[in-house]
Amino acid sequence: MAMKDYSDEFKADAVAPYESTAGATYKSIAADLGVNRATLREWVLRNRERRGITAAAARSGAQPREAVLSADPDERVRQLEARVAELEASERKLATERDILRKAAKYFAGETNWEDPLPVRRRPPGHLRGEAALPGPERDRSSYYKWLAGAEARAARQHHDRILAEEIRAVHGESGGAYGSPRITAELREKGRRVNEKRVARIMRTFSITGIRLRRRVRTTLPDPAASPVPDLFQRDFTATVPGRKYMGDITYLPLAGGEFLYLATVLDCFSRRVVGWSIADHMRTSLVADALRMAAATRGGLDGAVFHSDHGAQYGCRAFAGLCDQLGVTRSMGAVGTSADNAACESFHASLKRETLQGARDYGDADTCRRTVFAWLTRYNTRRRHSANGHLSPNEYEHRRHITKLTLVA
């Protein structure tokens, strides 16, 4: 069930992608956020009204690239550099496609350089006229004729591979460059494309299309030696048969330029791995994790009777957080001290977040950019990103299908 009571922070973070993204539409942004298009439009208009900005002025910076360049010299240079980079990328792509087609045409039109792509034994019979016609594997004409007979099939296969490569590249781009072959295969199948994962992986290798790999993990858990002991009710079982019963949470750092950090606290539902609560701040005080838990309660309409699992960070072990859990009817659970495997699902989630948002960069830049980037990823994670634990369905879709199945069984 979607959250009905949105916080002011959520609304501000939802407006930011629409105002700052060139060519953005209410429909596209609302789909990523999982909110109604009209609701997002209302938030944007209210935000503009508060700032005293008209609709035309607000969207002037988000016009298509053909718009008039800025009068500010620095901004003008930035726009021109971005346009040049886009044109260079397009030129490289066209050059690659041209070279492929040129080589294919020469290859299958009998203009092949026989000393390069084919071994001696597959050279044409005419090539033997200048050599001694000796018996043996190097003079095996049948291999050449077999290869020649399969030329048409190979050309057709390569053509289909190029078409599939473009479809893969489109899905890869929509995922922000994050998806590997398993998720891309699931996305293509969802669109009705019958394709094997091994073929997708092979084409991705051939056309140098790669997902994003893991970065080194930095420890942020600082245990409180004075905290009361809390039992481990999960025992490394991060699954649930129904939503809203088992939750898990953790804190991760978000690196900024200049060696500074923001910190993200999250609350995930074990059933669908949906992020039901999160909070971003420039500190790791108890209020960080408390705000994330309160958002989870607002999203689910309450947490009474649920179990919340975390590590032994001081924020989760203090009296204030324990009091909040009691107030919300939540039973606490904690893994062993210093054992990341006891909260492995959250560790993996945060690793995926930073891998797919940083994409190899050392930091997010400034704090505002970091907030917008992480907010956009979190909302897209719930609404669109395919999760392997859900059979490659997004968390929201997985819960929706479970709800439909339950209604069907009841009927």
Side-chain angles (χ1 to χ4, degrees):
M1 180 177 180
M3 180 170 62
K4 298 297 183 182
D5 244 349
Y6 297 95
S7 66
D8 292 337
E9 180 183 2
F10 184 96
K11 294 176 183 178
D13 287 338
V15 169
Y18 177 79
E19 296 285 27
S20 61
T21 304
T25 62
Y26 289 121
K27 182 178 179 180
S28 63
I29 300 298
D32 279 342
L33 301 178
V35 301
N36 185 274
R37 176 185 176 279
T39 301
L40 176 62
R41 182 176 182 275
E42 182 181 353
W43 293 346
V44 172
L45 295 178
R46 286 183 179 178
N47 180 270
R48 291 175 181 171
E49 185 179 350
R50 283 197 302 270
R51 293 185 294 157
I53 301 176
T54 64
R59 299 297 285 162
S60 62
Q63 295 299 317
R65 298 188 185 274
E66 292 78 9
V68 178
L69 295 175
S70 172
D72 179 64
D74 292 337
E75 179 64 16
R76 186 184 182 89
V77 170
R78 188 194 67 77
Q79 291 176 341
L80 289 173
E81 288 177 344
R83 182 57 176 163
V84 168
E86 181 181 350
L87 291 173
E88 287 178 345
S90 177
E91 184 180 0
R92 286 194 298 270
K93 178 182 176 182
L94 290 173
T96 301
E97 293 176 350
R98 184 186 64 241
D99 291 343
I100 291 173
L101 293 173
R102 182 179 296 169
K103 291 178 180 178
K106 291 175 63 179
Y107 194 75
F108 296 111
E111 301 178 11
T112 309
N113 179 2
W114 298 106
E115 294 181 0
D116 184 17
L118 288 178
V120 175
R121 68 187 185 89
R122 290 191 178 182
R123 297 178 187 175
H127 186 77
L128 299 178
R129 293 172 184 172
E131 301 178 358
L134 300 175
E138 291 188 353
R139 302 295 180 264
D140 188 356
R141 297 189 180 192
S142 62
S143 296
Y144 165 72
Y145 287 117
K146 184 176 180 181
W147 169 84
L148 191 62
E152 186 176 346
R154 283 195 304 277
R157 188 162 55 248
Q158 291 171 357
H159 174 69
H160 292 313
D161 283 354
R162 285 194 294 272
I163 293 175
L164 181 56
E166 289 304 315
E167 296 178 23
I168 291 172
R169 192 174 280 111
V171 173
H172 185 257
E174 290 172 1
S175 72
Y179 279 6
S181 58
R183 288 189 174 91
I184 288 179
T185 303
E187 186 75 26
L188 291 173
R189 288 174 178 171
E190 184 76 16
K191 294 178 178 181
R193 189 73 147 89
R194 296 182 62 183
V195 65
N196 184 280
E197 183 183 332
K198 290 183 179 179
R199 186 186 177 199
V200 171
R202 174 179 60 80
I203 293 177
M204 289 181 70
R205 286 194 302 270
T206 302
F207 289 84
S208 300
I209 306 172
T210 58
I212 304 171
R213 299 183 179 179
L214 285 170
R215 295 168 53 87
R216 290 182 59 188
R217 184 178 62 86
V218 177
R219 183 185 178 195
T220 56
T221 302
L222 302 174
D224 183 358
S228 302
V230 176
D232 183 357
L233 304 179
F234 271 36
Q235 296 297 319
R236 301 188 182 181
D237 178 10
F238 304 108
T239 62
T241 56
V242 293
R245 295 292 86 193
K246 293 173 65 176
Y247 297 96
M248 50 190 172
D250 198 4
I251 301 174
T252 191
Y253 76 102
L254 305 172
L256 306 178
E260 298 181 346
F261 297 93
L262 289 181
Y263 300 93
L264 168 70
T266 52
V267 178
L268 280 72
D269 192 313
C270 292
F271 173 73
S272 62
R273 304 298 170 88
R274 178 183 175 186
V275 189
V276 293
W278 71 79
S279 179
I280 302 175
D282 59 358
H283 60 79
M284 287 201 298
R285 294 191 291 272
T286 304
S287 59
L288 176 69
V289 297
D291 288 344
L293 193 65
R294 289 191 185 98
M295 179 179 175
T299 302
R300 288 305 196 191
L303 300 177
D304 189 36
V307 177
F308 177 75
H309 183 81
S310 68
D311 57 25
H312 274 268
Q315 301 83 356
Y316 294 111
C318 67
R319 290 184 178 180
F321 187 75
L324 176 62
C325 289
D326 292 340
Q327 178 185 340
L328 296 174
V330 175
T331 301
R332 290 190 298 158
S333 170
M334 286 187 176
V337 177
T339 305
S340 61
D342 286 351
N343 203 20
C346 270
E347 299 276 356
S348 175
F349 169 79
H350 287 152
S352 296
L353 182 152
K354 285 192 279 191
R355 180 178 70 246
E356 296 181 12
T357 53
L358 285 172
Q359 299 193 7
R362 292 183 175 273
D363 58 68
Y364 291 94
D366 59 82
D368 289 339
T369 301
C370 177
R371 282 180 177 273
R372 287 197 301 268
T373 302
V374 173
F375 173 81
W377 189 91
L378 289 171
T379 51
R380 192 179 190 280
Y381 168 90
N382 280 340
T383 58
R384 293 192 178 186
R385 185 183 182 276
R386 296 181 179 275
H387 203 300
S388 56
N390 297 339
H392 290 297
L393 296 175
S394 69
N396 282 7
E397 180 65 19
Y398 188 72
E399 290 191 2
H400 174 70
R401 293 195 182 187
R402 188 263 178 190
H403 180 66
I404 295 298
T405 301
K406 183 178 179 180
L407 292 178
T408 303
L409 292 175
V410 170

